[in-house]
Structure formats: C-alpha cells, structure tokens
Amino acid sequence: MTKRQDEILQIVKQSGPITGKEIAEKLSLTRAALRPDLAILTMSGNLDARPRVGYFYNQELEVKQHAEKFLHQKVSDFKAHPIVVEKSTSVYDAIVQLFLEDVGTLYAVDEDGNLAGVISRKDLLRTAIGNQNLNELPVSVIMTRMPNIVTIHPEETLLEAAKKMINNHIDSLPVVKEMEDDTYLLVGRITKTTITRAYLEIMEQKLD
Ligand code: ADP
C-alpha cells in the first residue's frame, strides 16, 4: 500500500461515509488524481463504495486479515525459554523453582538436555498434600513422561499449538526438535499466555 493509499484509508476510517470529493479536499488533491487510488482500495476490498453516499471502511476485511495473520504465525517466532529441572531434582526444589521462575509448568530433562518429563502445578500440589518427604522424592517419580508428552515443532503454527492445548486440556507445550536417535531436544515452550500475547500483538498491529 502506498503512503497516499494509507492516508485515504485513515481518512475514511475516521470520517466515513465520505465522498471522493471530500477526501480529495482533505488531501488538497484533485478528484481525478485520487481516482486510481480509490479504485485500488475498492478493488482490494479495503473500502466499500455506495453511490451518492460515499466510501466506507471495510472493518470486516481488516479483522479477517488480522485473524489470518495470527493463525499462520510460527511457534518459533513466539516460543519462550523452557524452564527446566534435572529429572533427579527433588519435588521440594521443583516447587521452589516454580515460584522463582514464576511459571506454571516445569520440564524435566535428562543429562543431554533431552525432554524427559512435564511437571505441572497440580502434579506438585497433588504430591505435596500426600504427606511425602518432598526433599527425598525426585520429580521423575511424579512427572508425565514420554511417550505421553504432547509436543510441538518450531515450524508448526500457533493455531496448531492452540488446538493441541485445548484438545489435551493442558496449559503448555514443550517445543522440541526430533533428533536422529529418537530423542527430543527441548528448544522452548508455548503456553496459553503465549497465544494470548500473540493475539494481542497482531490485533494491535497496523496491517499493510
Ligand atoms: P495443571 O495440572 O497445573 O492444571 P496442566 O493442565 O498443564 O496444568 O496439566 C495437567 C496434567 O497434564 C498434568 O498432570 C501434567 O503433567 C500434564 N501435562 C501438562 N502439559 C503436558 C503436555 N504438554 N503433554 C502431556 N501432558 C502434559
């Protein structure tokens, strides 16, 4: 979109319905000079024109463009750092870590940094009310482990991430790369907050 087309869009957004003549006046241009830009904006669906009324801004198209852009965002562009513990870490230390890092889910890794398990708030709460010795108990005993972990690849979309979280009733997904030896290298995390943040960011973005 050219600078002038953007100016026209902003005018129609603020003052529509508005006639071509009025837009031309606001931009100190002739109606003829404006005609090609108005034609382009109408053909692309950004503006609607009604005889004798003028130009309208097509809000629906903007919402659709935003939504489409949102849905195709890649996991790799939004993932956060994974907060990890060794699988030998005690449940007590995992709880401390959860508070220190201000997260809802921890990932357990093996000696090579490969994903071994998921430990959620409720996994820790359930264990804590069971009166066990939390300092002696390793998280490996209570974590959800492979092959039951639902993961996502960096090249997948946020839409796929959202679907996986909703369908599996979970708050987060480890972002992993599958290695040749069938292990999963942990490279990030996607949470429900990630999706909400991406939604806000894109909806507030100016589209071109
Ligand atoms: P919370 O238990 O705090 O509500 P979740 O809803 O994310 O958090 O977790 C529910 C259960 O699912 C827990 O037992 C947790 O270990 C497990 N879980 C969490 N994330 C995953 C995942 N990506 N794949 C498989 N299981 C998971």
Side-chain angles (χ1 to χ4, degrees), residues 32 39 78 88 92 111 117 129 132 147 205 207:
F78 284 90
S88 56
Y92 183 94
E111 304 73 30
I129 58 174
Q132 315 209 30
Q205 242 172 42
L207 293 169

PDB file of all heavy atoms in Angstrom, residues 32 39 78 88 92 111 117 129 132 147 205 207:
ATOM      1  N   ALA A  32      -9.597  13.774  -9.699  1.00  0.00           N
ATOM      2  CA  ALA A  32      -9.026  12.919 -10.748  1.00  0.00           C
ATOM      3  C   ALA A  32      -7.728  12.263 -10.284  1.00  0.00           C
ATOM      4  O   ALA A  32      -7.473  11.088 -10.566  1.00  0.00           O
ATOM      5  CB  ALA A  32      -8.785  13.727 -12.008  1.00  0.00           C
ATOM      6  N   ALA A  39      -9.791   3.446  -6.680  1.00  0.00           N
ATOM      7  CA  ALA A  39     -10.144   2.223  -7.413  1.00  0.00           C
ATOM      8  C   ALA A  39      -9.407   1.023  -6.825  1.00  0.00           C
ATOM      9  O   ALA A  39     -10.003  -0.039  -6.589  1.00  0.00           O
ATOM     10  CB  ALA A  39      -9.807   2.392  -8.895  1.00  0.00           C
ATOM     11  N   PHE A  78       7.419 -17.152  18.530  1.00  0.00           N
ATOM     12  CA  PHE A  78       6.764 -16.738  19.786  1.00  0.00           C
ATOM     13  C   PHE A  78       7.190 -17.545  21.004  1.00  0.00           C
ATOM     14  O   PHE A  78       6.854 -17.189  22.122  1.00  0.00           O
ATOM     15  CB  PHE A  78       5.236 -16.816  19.638  1.00  0.00           C
ATOM     16  CG  PHE A  78       4.681 -15.676  18.821  1.00  0.00           C
ATOM     17  CD1 PHE A  78       4.549 -15.792  17.449  1.00  0.00           C
ATOM     18  CD2 PHE A  78       4.337 -14.482  19.430  1.00  0.00           C
ATOM     19  CE1 PHE A  78       4.066 -14.733  16.689  1.00  0.00           C
ATOM     20  CE2 PHE A  78       3.848 -13.421  18.683  1.00  0.00           C
ATOM     21  CZ  PHE A  78       3.721 -13.544  17.308  1.00  0.00           C
ATOM     22  N   SER A  88      16.363 -35.716  38.316  1.00  0.00           N
ATOM     23  CA  SER A  88      16.706 -36.155  39.676  1.00  0.00           C
ATOM     24  C   SER A  88      16.394 -35.080  40.729  1.00  0.00           C
ATOM     25  O   SER A  88      16.501 -35.323  41.926  1.00  0.00           O
ATOM     26  CB  SER A  88      18.192 -36.489  39.733  1.00  0.00           C
ATOM     27  OG  SER A  88      18.938 -35.357  39.312  1.00  0.00           O
ATOM     28  N   TYR A  92      10.549 -30.870  46.269  1.00  0.00           N
ATOM     29  CA  TYR A  92      10.658 -29.629  47.050  1.00  0.00           C
ATOM     30  C   TYR A  92      11.362 -28.541  46.225  1.00  0.00           C
ATOM     31  O   TYR A  92      10.865 -27.413  46.094  1.00  0.00           O
ATOM     32  CB  TYR A  92      11.431 -29.904  48.356  1.00  0.00           C
ATOM     33  CG  TYR A  92      11.519 -28.695  49.254  1.00  0.00           C
ATOM     34  CD1 TYR A  92      10.586 -28.485  50.264  1.00  0.00           C
ATOM     35  CD2 TYR A  92      12.535 -27.741  49.070  1.00  0.00           C
ATOM     36  CE1 TYR A  92      10.650 -27.371  51.079  1.00  0.00           C
ATOM     37  CE2 TYR A  92      12.602 -26.619  49.873  1.00  0.00           C
ATOM     38  CZ  TYR A  92      11.659 -26.444  50.878  1.00  0.00           C
ATOM     39  OH  TYR A  92      11.719 -25.321  51.672  1.00  0.00           O
ATOM     40  N   GLU A 111      20.396 -35.990  31.115  1.00  0.00           N
ATOM     41  CA  GLU A 111      21.759 -35.441  31.161  1.00  0.00           C
ATOM     42  C   GLU A 111      22.130 -34.710  29.859  1.00  0.00           C
ATOM     43  O   GLU A 111      22.949 -33.797  29.869  1.00  0.00           O
ATOM     44  CB  GLU A 111      22.792 -36.557  31.422  1.00  0.00           C
ATOM     45  CG  GLU A 111      22.553 -37.387  32.683  1.00  0.00           C
ATOM     46  CD  GLU A 111      21.373 -38.355  32.536  1.00  0.00           C
ATOM     47  OE1 GLU A 111      21.107 -38.813  31.402  1.00  0.00           O
ATOM     48  OE2 GLU A 111      20.701 -38.635  33.555  1.00  0.00           O
ATOM     49  N   GLY A 117      10.307 -35.211  30.857  1.00  0.00           N
ATOM     50  CA  GLY A 117       9.011 -35.159  31.539  1.00  0.00           C
ATOM     51  C   GLY A 117       8.458 -33.762  31.687  1.00  0.00           C
ATOM     52  O   GLY A 117       9.153 -32.773  31.447  1.00  0.00           O
ATOM     53  N   ILE A 129       0.294 -32.618  48.997  1.00  0.00           N
ATOM     54  CA  ILE A 129      -0.727 -32.922  50.011  1.00  0.00           C
ATOM     55  C   ILE A 129      -0.713 -34.405  50.393  1.00  0.00           C
ATOM     56  O   ILE A 129      -1.439 -34.827  51.279  1.00  0.00           O
ATOM     57  CB  ILE A 129      -2.164 -32.509  49.579  1.00  0.00           C
ATOM     58  CG1 ILE A 129      -2.566 -33.204  48.285  1.00  0.00           C
ATOM     59  CG2 ILE A 129      -2.311 -31.007  49.478  1.00  0.00           C
ATOM     60  CD1 ILE A 129      -4.012 -32.947  47.889  1.00  0.00           C
ATOM     61  N   GLN A 132       4.286 -36.744  51.639  1.00  0.00           N
ATOM     62  CA  GLN A 132       5.517 -37.491  51.374  1.00  0.00           C
ATOM     63  C   GLN A 132       6.704 -36.615  51.744  1.00  0.00           C
ATOM     64  O   GLN A 132       6.558 -35.430  51.967  1.00  0.00           O
ATOM     65  CB  GLN A 132       5.576 -37.829  49.895  1.00  0.00           C
ATOM     66  CG  GLN A 132       4.251 -38.334  49.401  1.00  0.00           C
ATOM     67  CD  GLN A 132       4.389 -39.282  48.254  1.00  0.00           C
ATOM     68  OE1 GLN A 132       5.389 -39.981  48.149  1.00  0.00           O
ATOM     69  NE2 GLN A 132       3.406 -39.320  47.403  1.00  0.00           N
ATOM     70  N   PRO A 147       6.180 -41.700  26.400  1.00  0.00           N
ATOM     71  CA  PRO A 147       5.707 -41.051  25.161  1.00  0.00           C
ATOM     72  C   PRO A 147       4.383 -40.288  25.350  1.00  0.00           C
ATOM     73  O   PRO A 147       3.719 -40.005  24.361  1.00  0.00           O
ATOM     74  CB  PRO A 147       5.518 -42.248  24.230  1.00  0.00           C
ATOM     75  CG  PRO A 147       5.059 -43.347  25.141  1.00  0.00           C
ATOM     76  CD  PRO A 147       5.705 -43.095  26.494  1.00  0.00           C
ATOM     77  N   GLN A 205      -1.565  -4.613  15.657  1.00  0.00           N
ATOM     78  CA  GLN A 205      -0.631  -4.236  14.598  1.00  0.00           C
ATOM     79  C   GLN A 205      -1.345  -3.529  13.460  1.00  0.00           C
ATOM     80  O   GLN A 205      -2.491  -3.825  13.176  1.00  0.00           O
ATOM     81  CB  GLN A 205      -0.020  -5.505  14.015  1.00  0.00           C
ATOM     82  CG  GLN A 205       1.461  -5.632  14.177  1.00  0.00           C
ATOM     83  CD  GLN A 205       1.890  -7.017  13.727  1.00  0.00           C
ATOM     84  OE1 GLN A 205       1.422  -7.527  12.713  1.00  0.00           O
ATOM     85  NE2 GLN A 205       2.766  -7.620  14.488  1.00  0.00           N
ATOM     86  N   LEU A 207      -1.828  -3.271   9.662  1.00  0.00           N
ATOM     87  CA  LEU A 207      -1.571  -4.170   8.523  1.00  0.00           C
ATOM     88  C   LEU A 207      -1.241  -3.364   7.281  1.00  0.00           C
ATOM     89  O   LEU A 207      -1.724  -2.257   7.119  1.00  0.00           O
ATOM     90  CB  LEU A 207      -2.814  -5.007   8.240  1.00  0.00           C
ATOM     91  CG  LEU A 207      -3.189  -6.023   9.330  1.00  0.00           C
ATOM     92  CD1 LEU A 207      -4.557  -6.581   9.051  1.00  0.00           C
ATOM     93  CD2 LEU A 207      -2.161  -7.116   9.388  1.00  0.00           C
TER      94      LEU A 207
END
